[in-house]
Amino acid sequence: MALSGMRGLSVFISDIRNCQNKEQERLRVDKELGNIRTRFKNEKGLTPYEKKKYVWKMLYIFMLGYDVDFGHMEAVSLISAPKYPEKQVGYIVTSSLLNENHDFLRLAINTVRNDIIGRNETFQCLALTMVGNIGGREFAESLAPDVQKLLISSSCRPLVRKKAALCLLRLFRKNPDVVNVDGWSDRMAQLLDERDLGVLTSSMSLLVALVSNNHEAYWSCLPKCVKTLERLARNQDIPQEYTYYGIPSPWLQVKTMRALQYFPTVEDPNTRRSLFEVLQRILMGTDVVKNVNKNNASHAVLFEALALVMHLDAENEMMSQCVALLGKFIAVREPNIRYLGLENMTRMLMVTDVHDIIKRHQAQIITSLKDPDISIRRRALDLLYGMCDVSNAKDIVEELLQYLSTADFAMREELSLKAAILAEKFAPDLSWYVDVILQLIDKAGDFVSDDIWFRVVQFVTNNEDLQPYAAAKAREYLDKPAIHETMVKVSAYLLGEYSHLLARRPGCSPKEIFSAIHEKLPTVSTTTIPILLSTYAKILMHTQPPDPELQKHVWAIFSKYESCIDVEIQQRAIEYFALSSKGAALMDILAEMPKFPERQSALIKKAEVAEVDTAEQSAIKLRAQQHMTNALVVTDQHSSNGTPQSVGQLSLVKIPSISGDEHTSADQELSQANGTLATVDPQPPSADLLGDLLGPLAIEGLPGAAVLSEPNAVSGLEGVPIPADDAAAIVPVEKDTNSVQPIGNINERFYALCLKDSGVLYEDPNIQIGIKAEWRAQHGRLVLFLGNKNTFPLLSVQALILPPVHLKIELSLVPETIPPRAQVQCPLEVMNLHPSRDVAVLDFSYKCGTSMANVKLRLPAVLNKFLQPITVSAEEFFPQWRSLSGPPLKLQEVVRGVRPLSLIDMANIFTSFQLTVCQGLDPNPNNLIASTTFYSETIRPMLCLIRIETDPTDRTQLRITVASGDPTLTFELMEFIKEQLVGIPTAPRPPAPPAAPVAQPTNPAALTDPGDLLAGLL
Amino acid sequence: MTVEKQQELIRSVFGVLCSRAEKVSNFMEVDSIFGPDSRLVYKHYATLYFIFVFDSSENELAMLDLIQVFVETLDKCFRNVCELDIVFNYNKLHSILDEIISGGQVLETSSTEIMRAVEEISKSESASNSISLVPKTVSGWRSR
């Protein structure tokens, strides 16, 4: 006997371990895979033991990182083996190798179900574990009720029940629409009385999932959670094996407090008092001790308690207690606790009134910026960023700048962005701001995005007092031997504009400035050269009286670049050359840049967007975002490209057409749009880059020139009319009057919702409207979920229902404002009065910033929602069919131009619309009979019968017969079915009954054929 | 998730962790690897690294405790667990982990209870005459 039950397996593993290199390993693995493949091919000679062994080997190979693309069937088939070891392998390997969408899983559903409802507990455990790990939709559909039964069964062992709880949790998380948890609040409340800690822990996790989905239904569980917490933390009423390093089940304590954070508040004063007593005990009774494990466990509980206190918005006294504790933590030796101390302090900032207390710890936090652990340094940076305000900005930003030179590369980008934002937000004076940004570029040029230097240029342009200072600073930096290219750009720009203000200072004559800049030209890339050329032209212009020597020099440069391969450079060189020979006219053309319109900082915008990106959904965060918006987490550019892009692009289309007005709201819109332009493209090509800097000038130029000046500005030639076409390619934005673009196709969303009961009805960058519906006979209860995706509130929210006459619709009050990142639920009651295909429309509008959005959305309260499938037997069908003898109760129509569908596809469409397809009623296999019941307020539940006759030789035509006891219903249902079969569902539905599919003059031959068939049947 | 993606993630995590010094925190920011709102907690014992990745719905320190429970349980199963135990008994390891975590959630936190369940599984296995643990000496036996 081998050492293990499977000697072959141990040998294989040893072989792998003895491989000298990856290549050998691959050869050995390939050999084994080949071997397994051959053995599986000839399954006859394979014993269950061998099969088991090979499947274990497959898993091992998979874990080594090789793709195992065969043998899945064998793994799955082991699930139905009668003996435990084989079954176990089957379950474990299946859940490791296959994902939830794998077709083979379907084959196993019956076996899995039998194991779950069977008597063998070890089998139950295996099955529950696999289902819980995979969590697929089909599992949820066929197994969730059985799993629910196991969880609440009193005859099951805790071992099985705790697995059932987590299995159910996974199924619910993955398929909330399939797993029915109506009425589970009472059961959950009962489960929380459980004595077994294993079951209780799993149930608490389940509760967290349920409450996070809908806390309203689970209020009754709240006092139970507090009781559980008291039982653990106060009474320590718990079996010995559940104390962990002397602490009563820290996990359960943590989970319980987590569950409590999903309830918006604790209203009952007694419960609240009890809860605060326990929390107080936890806050005060935790000390840092020597044993690392004990420390971790006790602080896990403590930090969760802190989070809960913050969530509950406790009394001030308790809050300051918390800050005091955190202040202690950020100075302890234990790195984990320092880390969490900093992190929680950052969260704490979101609660009002603690800013000042936290500021007392500033020195310690700055020390943490030099912690050996990068994780801690990052937390410290976040915290410093969050706590910065006007009073401490200078200190903090200067610390950040100092740290920049020694910081890890991984942090520099984030660091420089944060420093730039803080400098801008809280600058005590503007010259300091210029200093900071220039230092930033100097120390970490690679990490300074274009947004940052664009912004400094804007500030300088708009503040005359600042201009000589900035120019002098720029001049100083040029003297440094090696400067970053971004520094060349910004210095060249500033000196081009303002160097004449320095004229009398030493080293600042036009010539000297020119040569200082020109010295850098050989070191820069083609994107910078155009800026340098503009600068030369400007210097030339400012040199009065003209300096012939300088002029000659500059002209030589221009003519050198006249044949440059880069179009932008070439164009500038030619134009500047031509212009500068015009003498005095140059003055008008190259005049100083006018002020930029006030615009929202692209940087701050970027920060907000990044924040949206990484924001977590936990209850406390959601609330906290309403308090402040400066908790910035800047991800690297690759990961933050998703949503911000779309937001940016959205603003792009907002540009209104503008003539040179003063600062109107339209200006602001434009500036916003331009502000974000920079964020859209992380590395704008030079043309766009300049477009962003210079573009907005257009609105401030002379009214007459306004139209043309934008393209002109792009090429750097203000006021000289050139054909707009020439520059059209680089005009950055287009005009569009639509303010907000929807995400996704509204029609497709509507049609999808006609077939299912929950989903997204509408989405744009600001809002998402979800819908969840329940239909019972003629009644419907819909809930609209209005979710604000932004970090600022949506205002003037209005929702109006335009109901068709056949529907009675009541919409509950819609709040006028949706707070940042909040979701508002608006229930909607629908009652169907009589049959009609008209659609209710939701007229929805809101204001976001300065833009107004209005959409009209069809509500999926359509005819088929009031249908319920019903199966009729032949004995019921035929008498009914005959009794409804002709129009108007029974209508028949031949329809052409139908989408060609197989009968199966057609049957599927019918089923999805709640029509039951009755198999075998029609003797002709090319026909299809369906039945359903229609519910409305004015007529009794009405049986509807439908017959479709198809022509197998021409699938584009068919004959439809619809019969019911109500003429309107018959007509409407007929039209409805035609729409479904003829119209392509994504096409907008015509307002009137569609004309196209109605019977047209038809080919008699085609008509008689199915007609005869029908006559024969009846 | 494809095998390549899995391997890539493992490589990235390894890249991040192998440069960690001693006596630093057990937490790492891994947004760039696993997407926003992901957290990583690790603990290493000699050559063995145990790594849990999760999101903000879990408590970091509690996850660290869970690693400790996992390791203490392995210790009980293998008497001073080492790398070889895990390599040669990876099937056993799957069973143990399945008793601690299910569907990404904490299933059991008492190592006594976990041991009880694991022993039950061993009984079921040997009742049908199968796997016993591979002792550490096996590598010696193989490499001779």
Side-chain angles (χ1 to χ4, degrees):
Chain A
M1 189 67 198
L3 285 166
S4 84
M6 291 172 287
R7 173 167 177 160
L9 181 59
S10 303
V11 170
F12 173 61
I13 297 174
S14 299
D15 282 355
I16 293 287
R17 288 180 59 79
N18 288 333
C19 288
Q20 303 291 323
N21 53 41
K22 198 76 192 160
E23 193 44 39
Q24 272 186 16
E25 181 188 296
R26 176 176 296 279
L27 285 173
R28 182 67 186 88
V29 165
D30 283 344
K31 184 180 151 203
E32 197 62 40
L33 286 176
N35 178 30
I36 299 175
R37 205 189 290 262
T38 350
R39 295 307 308 266
F40 278 167
K41 258 191 200 141
N42 184 10
E43 230 186 284
K44 272 192 194 137
L46 214 57
T47 64
Y49 163 77
E50 284 174 309
K51 209 165 164 185
K52 177 184 76 176
K53 182 177 73 182
Y54 291 133
V55 171
W56 273 129
K57 278 187 186 172
M58 276 166 43
L59 178 61
Y60 191 81
I61 292 171
F62 176 73
M63 283 163 52
L64 286 176
Y66 296 91
D67 205 359
V68 180
D69 55 359
F70 68 98
H72 295 170
M73 190 53 144
E74 281 74 8
V76 173
S77 71
L78 278 175
I79 290 178
S80 34
K83 282 194 184 166
Y84 186 84
E86 282 84 32
K87 195 181 262 297
Q88 183 202 28
V89 180
Y91 272 122
I92 292 183
V93 176
T94 300
S95 60
S96 307
L97 244 46
L98 306 191
N99 73 13
E100 59 180 294
N101 300 319
H102 206 289
D103 285 340
F104 287 170
L105 288 180
R106 210 169 290 150
L107 305 174
I109 283 191
N110 269 333
T111 320
V112 176
R113 176 149 196 270
N114 287 337
D115 281 342
I116 285 180
I117 58 177
R119 292 277 161 88
N120 187 328
E121 288 183 336
T122 48
F123 289 4
Q124 282 178 327
C125 286
L126 286 176
L128 289 171
T129 304
M130 184 194 74
V131 175
N133 280 332
I134 292 182
R137 188 169 189 87
E138 291 188 41
F139 279 146
E141 280 165 355
S142 47
L143 301 176
D146 296 319
V147 177
Q148 283 171 323
K149 258 181 231 153
L150 281 187
L151 172 58
I152 51 173
S153 146
S154 53
S155 58
C156 266
R157 280 173 60 201
L159 183 66
V160 178
R161 291 178 57 213
K162 67 188 182 192
K163 287 184 175 153
L166 291 191
C167 180
L168 184 60
L169 159 56
R170 183 68 187 271
L171 292 178
F172 176 74
R173 277 241 167 106
K174 283 246 174 179
N175 320 281
D177 51 327
V178 174
V179 179
N180 181 7
V181 289
D182 294 347
W184 262 73
S185 54
D186 292 345
R187 292 193 180 138
M188 282 316 299
Q190 270 170 27
L191 280 170
L192 297 182
D193 288 332
E194 175 66 44
R195 293 299 298 172
D196 183 277
L197 268 274
V199 178
L200 189 52
T201 308
S202 307
S203 304
M204 199 57 86
S205 299
L206 179 58
L207 179 68
V208 169
L210 293 172
V211 172
S212 65
N213 190 49
N214 170 17
H215 69 264
E216 287 292 344
Y218 295 91
W219 280 114
S220 60
C221 296
L222 193 150
K224 303 261 179 165
C225 292
V226 177
K227 283 249 154 57
T228 308
L229 202 57
E230 283 184 313
R231 175 183 162 193
L232 297 170
R234 194 184 65 192
N235 308 343
Q236 315 225 332
D237 166 20
I238 174 174
Q240 181 53 39
E241 68 259 34
Y242 280 97
T243 46
Y244 174 87
Y245 290 91
I247 295 147
S249 186
W251 297 274
L252 184 51
Q253 293 195 49
V254 163
K255 269 279 171 263
T256 311
M257 289 190 273
R258 194 49 75 101
L260 285 167
Q261 286 170 63
Y262 283 97
F263 291 100
T265 170
V266 181
E267 264 158 23
D268 174 55
N270 287 331
T271 314
R272 194 176 165 91
R273 193 172 336 108
S274 315
L275 180 56
F276 275 115
E277 261 173 44
V278 186
L279 290 175
Q280 184 75 31
R281 181 183 287 265
I282 296 172
L283 292 185
M284 290 298 97
T286 312
D287 286 318
V288 180
V289 293
K290 272 222 164 130
N291 183 312
V292 177
N293 293 323
K294 185 179 171 120
N295 241 348
N296 282 344
S298 62
H299 285 82
V301 175
L302 178 61
F303 278 112
E304 204 60 51
L306 278 171
L308 182 54
V309 169
M310 286 187 248
H311 170 75
L312 292 172
D313 240 345
E315 294 75 13
N316 256 339
E317 194 188 332
M318 205 160 186
M319 281 298 192
S320 26
Q321 234 176 39
C322 289
V323 185
L325 268 179
L326 290 174
K328 199 175 91 188
F329 291 155
I330 60 172
V332 299
R333 271 189 47 203
E334 185 57 50
N336 288 340
I337 294 177
R338 278 207 305 277
Y339 175 95
L340 290 170
L342 290 167
E343 184 178 41
N344 278 279
M345 239 186 210
T346 313
R347 291 174 118 201
M348 192 65 125
L349 280 174
M350 301 169 182
V351 181
T352 43
D353 293 346
V354 292
H355 242 86
D356 287 336
I357 323 180
I358 289 180
K359 271 194 218 159
R360 287 183 214 147
H361 302 284
Q362 190 169 315
Q364 180 61 42
I365 300 166
I366 287 175
T367 316
S368 305
L369 207 51
K370 290 151 194 146
D371 196 281
D373 184 353
I374 184 167
S375 303
I376 292 177
R377 293 197 293 273
R378 282 184 193 278
R379 289 290 81 82
L381 176 57
D382 283 348
L383 179 52
L384 284 174
Y385 180 78
M387 66 191 282
C388 191
D389 60 22
V390 189
S391 74
N392 57 11
K394 231 172 160 163
D395 293 341
I396 290 183
V397 172
E398 270 152 29
E399 276 301 332
L400 296 185
L401 280 177
Q402 208 184 4
Y403 174 47
L404 194 56
S405 348
T406 52
D408 332 40
F409 277 94
M411 272 179 79
R412 285 196 189 178
E413 180 169 359
E414 189 179 340
L415 197 57
S416 43
L417 184 58
K418 283 186 169 166
I421 291 173
L422 292 179
E424 177 181 334
K425 257 182 160 172
F426 302 116
D429 59 86
L430 286 171
S431 54
W432 177 79
Y433 169 75
V434 172
D435 283 346
V436 169
I437 301 299
L438 292 180
Q439 276 187 57
L440 209 57
I441 297 173
D442 187 39
K443 287 185 170 172
D446 281 340
F447 301 95
V448 173
S449 62
D450 284 332
D451 300 332
I452 296 179
W453 81 266
F454 288 177
R455 192 70 183 149
V456 84
V457 164
Q458 262 176 49
F459 266 111
V460 174
T461 310
N462 288 6
N463 292 280
E464 277 165 36
D465 304 346
L466 203 55
Q467 290 162 359
Y469 181 79
K473 276 281 163 189
R475 177 73 187 86
E476 275 173 35
Y477 276 105
L478 279 180
D479 281 341
K480 287 187 129 192
I483 58 173
H484 192 269
E485 186 162 346
T486 305
M487 186 64 88
V488 178
K489 286 180 188 167
V490 70
S491 317
Y493 186 96
L494 290 174
L495 289 172
E497 289 296 315
Y498 309 116
S499 61
H500 58 282
L501 303 174
L502 306 177
R504 295 213 185 96
R505 303 190 192 185
C508 292
S509 73
K511 233 187 204 155
E512 282 163 311
I513 287 189
F514 165 76
S515 50
I517 296 173
H518 191 52
E519 213 172 82
K520 308 292 177 192
L521 191 134
T523 65
V524 300
S525 63
T526 43
T527 53
T528 307
I529 295 176
I531 300 178
L532 298 191
L533 295 185
S534 300
T535 303
Y536 299 163
K538 293 239 172 186
I539 292 177
L540 216 51
M541 170 197 74
H542 282 301
T543 312
Q544 294 303 339
D547 176 341
E549 198 185 327
L550 180 65
Q551 198 172 44
K552 217 172 110 195
H553 201 157
V554 172
W555 281 356
I557 297 164
F558 287 157
S559 58
K560 175 184 161 201
Y561 283 107
E562 269 175 1
S563 52
C564 179
I565 194 155
D566 184 280
V567 175
E568 183 63 35
I569 298 175
Q570 187 186 36
Q571 187 178 359
R572 286 193 193 210
I574 292 172
E575 289 171 352
Y576 289 147
F577 185 70
L579 281 170
S580 54
S581 42
K582 282 187 196 283
L586 190 65
M587 288 294 261
D588 301 330
I589 299 159
L590 289 184
E592 210 165 275
M593 287 286 184
K595 283 183 185 176
F596 286 81
E598 266 318 304
R599 47 160 80 177
Q600 189 187 356
S601 164
L603 287 182
I604 290 173
K605 192 117 184 173
K606 190 175 184 175
E608 282 168 0
V609 167
E611 183 190 351
V612 171
D613 233 23
T614 49
E616 55 176 270
Q617 290 296 335
S618 86
I620 183 146
K621 256 284 172 57
L622 267 178
R623 223 168 43 86
Q625 302 233 332
Q626 298 167 24
H627 284 299
M628 63 164 231
T629 51
N630 51 354
L632 168 90
V633 188
V634 180
T635 51
D636 58 342
Q637 300 217 322
H638 321 286
S639 62
S640 65
N641 267 351
T643 31
Q645 285 262 9
S646 59
V647 172
Q649 276 153 3
L650 170 87
S651 317
L652 275 186
V653 295
K654 252 188 325 200
I655 296 252
S657 52
I658 284 186
S659 57
D661 275 33
E662 62 283 332
H663 292 266
T664 60
S665 65
D667 274 13
Q668 281 164 17
E669 266 193 63
L670 173 69
S671 46
Q672 261 188 13
N674 268 326
T676 48
L677 179 64
T679 60
V680 175
D681 193 342
Q683 286 149 319
S686 72
D688 271 6
L689 172 157
L690 289 157
D692 180 70
L693 255 183
L694 309 176
L697 296 176
I699 53 171
E700 297 244 325
L702 294 167
V707 185
L708 286 167
S709 56
E710 194 170 39
N712 293 348
V714 171
S715 57
L717 298 166
E718 293 80 7
V720 174
I722 52 169
D725 293 354
D726 286 357
I730 40 176
V731 173
V733 285
E734 283 174 26
K735 284 183 280 185
D736 198 324
T737 44
N738 280 347
S739 54
V740 178
Q741 285 296 313
I743 298 170
N745 184 320
I746 296 181
N747 282 328
E748 276 170 22
R749 289 187 191 277
F750 169 73
Y751 287 112
L753 281 169
C754 288
L755 296 180
K756 55 182 193 172
D757 285 339
S758 62
V760 175
L761 180 67
Y762 172 78
E763 184 168 2
D764 67 29
N766 304 315
I767 193 166
Q768 187 187 56
I769 305 181
I771 204 164
K772 201 170 173 181
E774 278 173 65
W775 303 96
R776 298 252 154 75
Q778 65 268 38
H779 297 285
R781 190 185 150 80
L782 284 78
V783 182
L784 297 177
F785 296 85
L786 310 175
N788 180 356
K789 295 160 71 176
N790 285 320
T791 46
F792 41 87
L794 296 181
L795 306 170
S796 312
V797 177
Q798 272 195 341
L800 278 176
I801 301 280
L802 315 171
V805 282
H806 75 286
L807 293 178
K808 208 173 130 191
I809 299 187
E810 274 172 41
L811 175 63
S812 68
L813 203 66
V814 176
E816 206 169 290
T817 307
I818 307 178
R821 301 195 59 79
Q823 192 185 59
V824 178
Q825 300 185 8
C826 306
L828 187 70
E829 302 285 344
V830 182
M831 185 163 66
N832 184 25
L833 302 175
H834 52 82
S836 165
R837 284 166 304 117
D838 290 347
V839 184
V841 170
L842 169 71
D843 184 349
F844 185 82
S845 56
Y846 66 89
K847 215 164 131 183
C848 167
T850 49
S851 64
M852 190 78 196
N854 177 278
V855 279
K856 295 200 171 48
L857 303 164
R858 283 175 291 169
L859 287 174
V862 286
L863 184 78
N864 61 297
K865 301 285 183 182
F866 305 106
L867 297 177
Q868 275 180 19
I870 184 171
T871 314
V872 287
S873 63
E875 295 78 52
E876 293 162 313
F877 179 82
F878 289 106
Q880 189 74 24
W881 186 256
R882 278 187 209 106
S883 72
L884 302 165
S885 52
L889 295 183
K890 187 195 254 172
L891 295 173
Q892 193 171 86
E893 225 172 86
V894 172
V895 181
R896 285 163 193 288
V898 174
R899 277 187 290 153
L901 286 170
S902 71
L903 272 182
I904 297 172
D905 289 339
M906 200 181 296
N908 285 339
I909 291 184
F910 278 25
T911 314
S912 66
F913 284 107
Q914 313 278 359
L915 308 174
T916 313
V917 175
C918 308
Q919 301 290 351
L921 276 190
D922 200 314
N924 184 337
N926 291 317
N927 297 349
L928 193 142
I929 285 187
S931 56
T932 187
T933 324
F934 177 77
Y935 289 86
S936 68
E937 193 65 15
T938 50
I939 48 176
R940 64 194 157 79
M942 192 68 77
L943 180 68
C944 309
L945 303 172
I946 299 117
R947 183 173 192 237
I948 310 283
E949 294 154 274
T950 67
D951 178 356
T953 59
D954 181 3
R955 291 232 164 262
T956 62
Q957 62 174 358
L958 38 80
R959 184 160 74 168
I960 307 175
T961 316
V962 175
S964 82
D966 180 87
T968 331
L969 175 57
T970 304
F971 174 79
E972 292 291 330
L973 192 58
M974 168 68 94
E975 295 300 318
F976 177 78
I977 292 171
K978 275 165 27 187
E979 282 171 24
Q980 303 314 319
L981 295 179
V982 177
I984 296 156
T986 49
R989 197 175 289 208
V998 181
Q1000 292 151 358
T1002 48
N1003 179 347
L1007 233 182
T1008 49
D1009 191 284
D1012 289 345
L1013 281 171
L1014 185 75
L1017 172 72
L1018 303 177
Chain B
M1 195 190 292
T2 62
V3 180
E4 292 80 55
K5 181 76 189 160
Q6 275 179 28
Q7 291 298 310
E8 189 197 313
L9 291 178
I10 294 174
R11 271 195 302 276
S12 321
V13 169
F14 176 77
V16 171
L17 288 187
C18 66
S19 57
R20 296 281 288 171
E22 291 289 321
K23 289 189 182 153
V24 293
S25 71
N26 299 85
F27 311 133
M28 274 305 292
E29 207 162 85
V30 285
D31 287 7
S32 56
I33 304 175
F34 293 97
D37 197 27
S38 51
R39 285 139 198 241
L40 180 149
V41 162
Y42 72 100
K43 202 164 180 180
H44 78 118
Y45 303 82
T47 56
L48 278 181
Y49 274 78
F50 291 82
I51 299 159
F52 284 13
V53 178
F54 49 93
D55 65 14
S56 61
S57 66
E58 302 287 348
N59 177 308
E60 286 102 332
L61 283 174
M63 287 299 111
L64 200 54
D65 292 342
L66 202 61
I67 294 181
Q68 182 65 22
V69 170
F70 185 35
V71 174
E72 284 177 14
T73 311
L74 290 178
D75 240 5
K76 284 183 193 167
C77 279
F78 296 102
R79 259 181 256 117
N80 269 330
V81 64
C82 74
E83 189 191 336
L84 286 179
D85 293 318
I86 291 177
V87 171
F88 280 93
N89 298 290
Y90 68 98
N91 43 4
K92 192 90 192 165
L93 205 76
H94 273 279
S95 305
I96 298 172
L97 199 55
D98 278 345
E99 291 304 321
I100 301 178
I101 293 170
S102 173
Q105 294 282 329
V106 183
L107 178 66
E108 182 56 70
T109 58
S110 149
S111 68
T112 321
E113 281 294 318
I114 300 165
M115 279 306 289
R116 209 171 284 160
V118 171
E119 272 156 23
E120 227 172 88
I121 292 172
S122 299
K123 257 183 230 153
S124 308
E125 283 171 342
S126 55
S128 353
N129 185 20
S130 178
I131 318 177
S132 56
L133 297 184
V134 180
K136 293 188 185 55
T137 48
V138 74
S139 69
W141 163 76
R142 271 301 300 169
S143 50
R144 264 176 283 225

